[in-house]
Amino acid sequence: MSEPSTITDPADPRLADYTGLTDVELRRRREPAEGLFIAEGEKVVRRALAAGYRMRSMLLTPKWLDVMADVIAEADAPVHVVEPALAEAVTGYHVHRGALASMERKPLPDAAEVLAGARRVAVLEGLVDHTNLGAIFRSAAALGMDAVLLSPDCADPLYRRAVKVSMGAVFAVPYARLDPWPAALDTVRAAGFDLLALTPAETAVDLAALAPHRLPKAALMLGAEGDGRTRRALAAADHLVRIPMAHGVDSLNVGAAAAVAFYAVTATS
């Protein structure tokens, strides 16, 4: 058991992992380089621990001590207790969930390892928005996708915002980077997957008409909003598919589109 210690100085070096969380560029560089990520909120912290991530430290406001008592009892890392105002001064934002944990990353598996035994995977290209990325991981977990593959320029799934939006689903769905892009899509095809590129183009086939749930293995390719998939990625696809739109709407948010497409490829009837 780690005995909680109260900290009153925002400059205390023990709080170094939690400083400047609103500086996105700093965290993008720092977290992967230092091998850490921040889990925010009781459920997310618990899910990170359940997924086997090792805790470096925990930062709590006093009212969360009882809620997290069982986690504290099993922790082999320091537990820091701070007042809400100090937590905000350290992190740079209002920590309304009152519980943060600095966690150690695991080595990222390669794509072939993630694809082994999988039948339904998502392939994301150029997705840099952490909110959309977190939403896609949450849908992938909820709708039974086996894995997520990321182009090299996709955002970090373990960035704080992505973890928070996914409600910890980033810990439940295996993921890997496909590099070089898009040449590494050959790894997906070699594993027996049909590559389905989701696009609003009118020349694409209606996703339902393709009956993707009947394919032995399906890989759904989604791109960032605006730019979408690159021409080279679209050219690498086996099928261009679309979700039919009504009322003059030309497309869905990528997070919403992913959820619809995931259901289409995982439905059993």
Side-chain angles (χ1 to χ4, degrees), residues 67-228:
V67 176
M68 303 297 286
D70 59 319
V71 176
I72 295 171
E74 297 180 6
D76 60 356
V79 177
H80 310 309
V81 182
V82 299
E83 291 299 323
L86 190 141
E88 184 170 350
V90 170
T91 63
Y93 73 100
H94 178 57
V95 187
H96 66 281
R97 293 182 182 270
L100 297 172
S102 173
M103 313 292 294
E104 289 186 359
R105 290 172 179 257
K106 298 178 182 179
L108 200 62
D110 60 31
E113 181 181 345
V114 167
L115 289 169
R119 294 184 59 249
R120 298 289 184 263
V121 302
V123 180
L124 309 182
E125 180 185 22
L127 209 71
V128 297
D129 185 279
H130 293 99
T131 299
N132 284 335
L133 187 65
I136 288 172
F137 265 89
R138 187 171 183 179
S139 294
L143 297 171
M145 299 296 285
D146 298 314
V148 175
L149 300 174
L150 310 166
S151 67
D153 56 346
C154 277
D156 177 14
L158 294 185
Y159 180 70
R160 181 181 62 85
R161 179 66 179 168
V163 174
K164 180 179 177 181
V165 171
S166 79
M167 290 298 293
V170 293
F171 310 134
V173 182
Y175 68 91
R177 297 275 178 182
L178 282 173
D179 194 14
W181 181 266
L185 287 170
D186 289 342
T187 303
V188 184
R189 185 175 285 105
F193 285 84
D194 281 286
L195 290 168
L196 316 180
L198 205 64
T199 172
E202 293 184 1
T203 54
V205 177
D206 186 329
L207 180 60
L210 185 66
H213 60 289
R214 296 177 181 169
L215 295 173
K217 293 184 177 182
L220 268 172
M221 299 169 57
L222 299 111
E225 292 179 59
D227 293 338

